[in-house]
Amino acid sequence: EDKVVQSPLSLVVHEGDTVTLNCSYEVTNFRSLLWYKQEKKAPTFLFMLTSSGIEKKSGRLSSILDKKELFSILNITATQTGDSAVYLCVINTGGFKTIFGAGTRLFVKA
Amino acid sequence: DVKVTQSSRYLVKRTGEKVFLECVQDMDHENMFWYRQDPGLGLRLIYFSYDVKMKEKGDIPEGYSVSREKKERFSLILESASTNQTSMYLCASSSKFTYNEQFFGPGTRLTVL
């Protein structure tokens, strides 16, 4: 059975800390891995990763994929209170088939 | 600014009632999706549609049906609501060219009593 496991489930840090969120997966057919940020409302797209070892960066956020070890990490440096959200890891297994992880809830204290 | 809207943010219904959840997108996207989100389970796909009048079952279609009569609108129907359908329902859309990137609506929190 295909599955996506995120860890930790929740995390509390202080502003300015650096955090690493983990996503491991076991799927029969991997096409891409995506990260979303979900605040109070709709998830918003962060990154899509398809190739191993190539880091994607956007401001203080970065992500990398390891297709051999079947995981990805999402790094957030110099965290701010606005980073508080649930971060979702998603695997696309082909066409419209996507599998969502349960999410990591990040809370950044001022 | 791209937008996906859902008809209600909060909805309370009784067991056995018929429930309609509507989703509208203004991006001319071909693909539309309905998910439910439950704690510890992540988002699970109920149904999706890749064109008008076309629909495909997702992972958990039982107890639900959908309708897509117009490109911009995708409706989720609970024919006879049950308490285990209490959940957050999220609608999303994507372009057929960049189908990986989905744009989500704000969600409808449905409570079935």
Side-chain angles (χ1 to χ4, degrees), chain A residues 68-89:
Chain A
K68 186 179 173 192
E69 299 297 329
L70 308 182
F71 77 90
S72 173
I73 59 171
L74 175 68
N75 269 323
I76 309 174
T77 58
T79 51
Q80 302 170 357
T81 54
D83 295 327
S84 296
V86 175
Y87 290 84
L88 298 170
C89 175

Side-chain angles (χ1 to χ4, degrees), chain B residues 23 25 29-30 32 49 51-53 67-75:
Chain B
C23 174
Q25 50 95 2
H29 282 168
E30 292 77 16
M32 295 187 76
S49 167
D51 202 351
V52 175
K53 295 195 187 294
S67 171
R68 187 142 181 229
E69 296 297 317
K70 293 185 178 181
K71 190 176 186 181
E72 67 271 18
R73 191 180 296 268
F74 193 35
S75 301

